[in-house]
Each structure stands twice: as structure tokens, then as C-alpha cells.
Amino acid sequence: MAAPTVDWDYVERAKSGELDLRWLREWNSEWGVKATPSRVGLTMRDIAIGSYGEIPETAPRRTMAPRGSEVDADVPDMGYTLNSKTDVWADNVMDLYEEGVSRQWSATRDIPWSEIPEIDPDLEHAMCQLCTLLSEVEMIASDFPAKWMWRINHDYVEAKMFLATQIMDEARHTEVFRKRALANGGGLGKAKAVTESFLKLVLDAENYAQGSALMHILGEGLVLSLFRAGELISPSPVEKKIFRLCMQDEARHVAYGTMHLRYALAEDPDRIEEFHQYLDGGEEMISALFATPEVVEPIAVLAAGSVDGAAVMGGQAADMLLGRVIEEYLQRCDRAGIDRRSRIKIPDVLGNYDAAALGVTSDAAVSGLN
Ligand SMILES: [Fe+2]
Ligand SMILES: [Fe+2]
């Protein structure tokens, strides 16, 4: 495409007072469409009015022009590859963006770091190992959206804006768990290849749909359930606050992923096998994580309150938590419109869930050590 050139004739006319003014007189916008602020202020939903609120099924152009503006015919092609609403949209995305903006917090200021008590060394180690894992996995949820964001058509700008809030949220999660590992003398623990393999699966996803299913639904869903169990595994009120604040953020990311998958499947139910296959692969990796000492044992020790307690209980302290993780995952899949009960690859003996009670029938799930 040829670079734009200076229109010197226009410059001369304008300098002599002959303004162009076609931008003013030939204005085809929805004059008179006036957004009314809601109780909290002027939200993205408040301005999704008239033609401005119409989200095209297929983007007519690949430009950065604001949706609803009058676009020059010769605008350059930005090369976007996600040009359909089903690629990225979720019906709750505008609200999630607003919530993401309004509920930002500071890992520096909002955590009472000086109030972490002296903790039994084993529990401190367990907390630090868990923080190492979390600091490691959180950043994938920045890297993955960042990798795909520029490919998303600007007509779906609200989805891009939401992902921008997620990228900031996950930077803060990486930060807060790194800070917790270093705040009480424990330091960072072990980073495992099995964890990195799951992160690579997400980062290397062939398309946004695959990566979003693996990350928003499966990975972040499991992390959300873990944060929800913060009461059970926090050695002090400081960690409880960390988990509670992270949980708010994580719930938004999972809500986007769930509603995005729901939208994609509602628009094209024939894609369900595609998504089943994405989750098959992801769940197999999660199974390996659930059989990794550095992943499950810190949770068991924290939940039991001691190493001896965790050993005596044979992991039962973590059972309830992991069982809830799987239960919530299956419910999340239900909400997204994909029933995983006949497909789930996480064996019940690893996920510590009651397959019969949850209606799980897949061979992979019930053929573990039982
Ligand atoms: Fe996170
Ligand atoms: Fe997240």
C-alpha cells in the first residue's frame, strides 16, 4: 500500500481560510443517539446503543476504525485473523470489562505484608511451593491473550478491552504470589516440567478457540476452585486476603471463557467434538499434574495443617478440595453447553471425586486404581 502523501493544495486552501468542512457537513453518524449513564457511571453497555451496539457476525473490514464510524474506502488491512463474532464474543464481556476496571487492586498496597505471622517451617515451605506454582502458571493467562489480541478484529473491541484487563490481572497474580514466596523467608520452590508442558499446550494452541478452552475453562477454572478454597489452605489471614482478591479476578476470566464457549457452541453446535478434543488433551495433562508431589502435597499439608497430618490422612485433606475442583469444572462445562461426564480424562482416583455421584461414565475416569 502506498504511503499517504501530503495534500498541499488543501494546505494552501485552508491557510487562506477555505476550510474543507465535509467532515462536518456530510456527517452520517447517528446524530441524536445519546447515551444515558447508569447508576455507576457511563458503562460500555450504556453506549452500546443504536447502530453502535450492533456487533457484526462477520466484520466487514479489518481495520482499527471504531465500530460505527465512517471508514475511508482505502484503509489499510490490519491482517486480523479473528473476524467473526463467534471467535471471541461472550454476552457478558462488556460487564466483565467494567468490573475488571473497577475492581483493580494493588499487590503492593492492599496486602498487609507486615502482618504475616511466624509460621511452622513445613507450612511455610508448603505455602512457598504453592506460590511458586501459582506464580508460574498465572502468567500464561497474560501471555496467551496477549499473543492473540492483535489478531482480533477491532469490531469486537469490547472483547479486546476485557482481555487487556485480564492481562493486567494476571500480572498482578504473578506478582502477589512471587511476593508471598519472598515475604516470609521461604523463597521460591520447585518448577516442574509437567507444569510447563500444560502452559506450553496453551501458549502453542493452534487457534484461539483451543487456547481459550484450555486456559479459561480448564486451567483458570481449576485455579479459581483452588482460590475459593483459600479459607482451607491459608496459614494466616494474609494469605486468605490474597486468595480472596485473586478469586474475584479469576471469576471474571472464567466467566468470560464459559460464556464465550457457550456462545460459540450456540452459534454452531457442530463444533462440540472439536472442543471435546481440546479438553481431552488438556485433562490428560491435568491428570499428570494431579500426580505430581510438588503440586498436590503442599495443598495436602496446608489443608491438614502439618506434614504428619497430611501423611496420616493419606491425602484425604486434599481430597475434598480436589473433589470440589472437579465438581465445579463439570458444572462449568455444563454452563458452557458441553457435557464432559462421558469424556472426562481425569481419573476419579486422581481427582478425588465420586464419579457415580457426579454421573461420570467415561472409561478414563473410572479405570484408575479402583
Ligand atoms: Fe490469575
Ligand atoms: Fe485468570
Side-chain angles (χ1 to χ4, degrees):
M1 184 202 150
T5 53
V6 176
D7 181 350
W8 290 109
D9 288 344
Y10 163 69
V11 173
E12 245 171 60
R13 287 197 307 276
K15 281 186 183 299
S16 66
E18 192 187 330
L19 298 181
D20 182 85
L21 295 183
R22 278 176 299 177
W23 60 269
L24 180 64
R25 305 298 177 213
E26 298 171 15
W27 185 281
N28 293 320
S29 74
E30 287 214 51
W31 189 255
V33 171
K34 187 175 171 183
T36 307
S38 52
R39 189 179 48 81
V40 294
L42 188 65
T43 68
M44 290 304 291
R45 199 174 276 286
D46 294 334
I47 64 164
I49 47 177
S51 63
Y52 302 119
E54 290 168 12
I55 319 294
E57 298 301 325
T58 304
R61 296 177 206 86
R62 301 192 292 193
T63 79
M64 287 187 180
R67 190 182 63 232
S69 63
E70 291 178 51
V71 187
D72 269 353
D74 58 348
V75 287
D77 186 321
M78 297 299 174
Y80 297 139
T81 58
L82 298 169
N83 296 302
S84 297
K85 191 177 175 188
T86 56
D87 290 335
V88 295
W89 198 252
D91 286 337
N92 54 356
V93 78
M94 293 184 199
D95 308 311
L96 291 173
Y97 169 74
E98 294 287 347
E99 189 187 313
V101 170
S102 71
R103 301 190 88 173
Q104 292 293 302
W105 50 278
S106 163
T108 299
R109 193 188 54 221
D110 296 331
I111 307 297
W113 294 111
S114 59
E115 294 172 20
I116 305 178
E118 189 130 344
I119 293 170
D120 171 83
D122 286 342
L123 289 182
E124 179 63 25
H125 267 123
M127 191 64 215
C128 287
Q129 179 56 41
L130 181 59
C131 286
T132 304
L133 172 74
L134 290 172
S135 192
E136 182 178 17
V137 302
E138 290 294 334
M139 203 65 191
I140 186 64
S142 284
D143 279 356
F144 170 78
K147 177 179 175 179
W148 287 89
M149 237 172 83
W150 76 264
R151 303 169 210 228
I152 298 174
N153 195 293
H154 211 79
D155 278 0
Y156 313 115
V157 72
E158 292 92 340
K160 299 176 90 158
M161 290 160 64
F162 167 72
L163 291 175
T165 67
Q166 169 165 10
I167 287 168
M168 184 60 225
D169 290 346
E170 305 297 5
R172 188 172 51 246
H173 296 180
T174 300
E175 172 194 359
V176 79
F177 291 115
R178 187 173 180 83
K179 284 182 171 175
R180 173 58 190 85
L182 298 176
N184 209 25
L188 291 162
K190 297 184 188 305
K192 303 298 290 179
V194 61
T195 312
E196 294 288 314
S197 297
F198 178 72
L199 303 182
K200 189 167 171 57
L201 186 71
V202 174
L203 194 60
D204 289 354
E206 286 175 19
N207 51 54
Y208 182 79
Q210 179 185 17
S212 174
L214 287 171
M215 191 192 74
H216 287 119
I217 306 264
L218 181 57
E220 295 190 281
L222 302 190
V223 167
L224 172 61
S225 298
L226 183 67
F227 290 168
R228 249 191 217 126
E231 287 282 326
L232 184 69
I233 56 176
S234 291
S236 86
V238 176
E239 292 80 14
K240 280 193 180 78
K241 182 157 194 196
I242 293 173
F243 286 129
R244 185 167 54 75
L245 288 170
C246 288
M247 184 179 70
Q248 292 173 4
D249 299 337
E250 218 57 58
R252 287 193 298 277
H253 313 156
V254 174
Y256 163 75
T258 306
M259 294 301 280
H260 167 51
L261 180 53
R262 185 185 175 90
Y263 184 79
L265 286 174
E267 289 296 302
D268 187 357
D270 290 344
R271 291 184 71 192
I272 196 155
E273 180 57 27
E274 173 193 337
F275 285 104
H276 269 308
Q277 287 180 16
Y278 297 153
L279 293 174
D280 285 348
E283 288 170 8
E284 280 168 2
M285 290 239 185
I286 294 296
S287 297
L289 275 174
F290 280 1
T292 301
E294 288 82 356
V295 175
V296 289
E297 289 186 5
I299 296 170
V301 168
L302 288 166
S306 69
V307 170
D308 287 347
V312 168
M313 295 169 85
Q316 282 176 15
D319 280 9
M320 204 176 74
L321 192 153
L322 290 177
R324 203 184 303 155
V325 164
I326 300 301
E327 191 179 336
E328 288 178 3
Y329 168 65
L330 288 171
Q331 289 168 351
R332 195 169 298 120
C333 289
D334 287 345
R335 277 200 296 283
I338 185 166
D339 183 352
R340 290 290 298 167
R341 288 174 181 76
S342 63
R343 292 284 290 250
I344 188 168
K345 302 290 183 194
I346 303 171
D348 54 0
V349 69
L350 284 180
N352 292 307
Y353 62 91
D354 185 338
L358 293 176
V360 168
T361 58
S362 79
D363 288 345
V366 295
S367 61
L369 296 177
N370 293 352

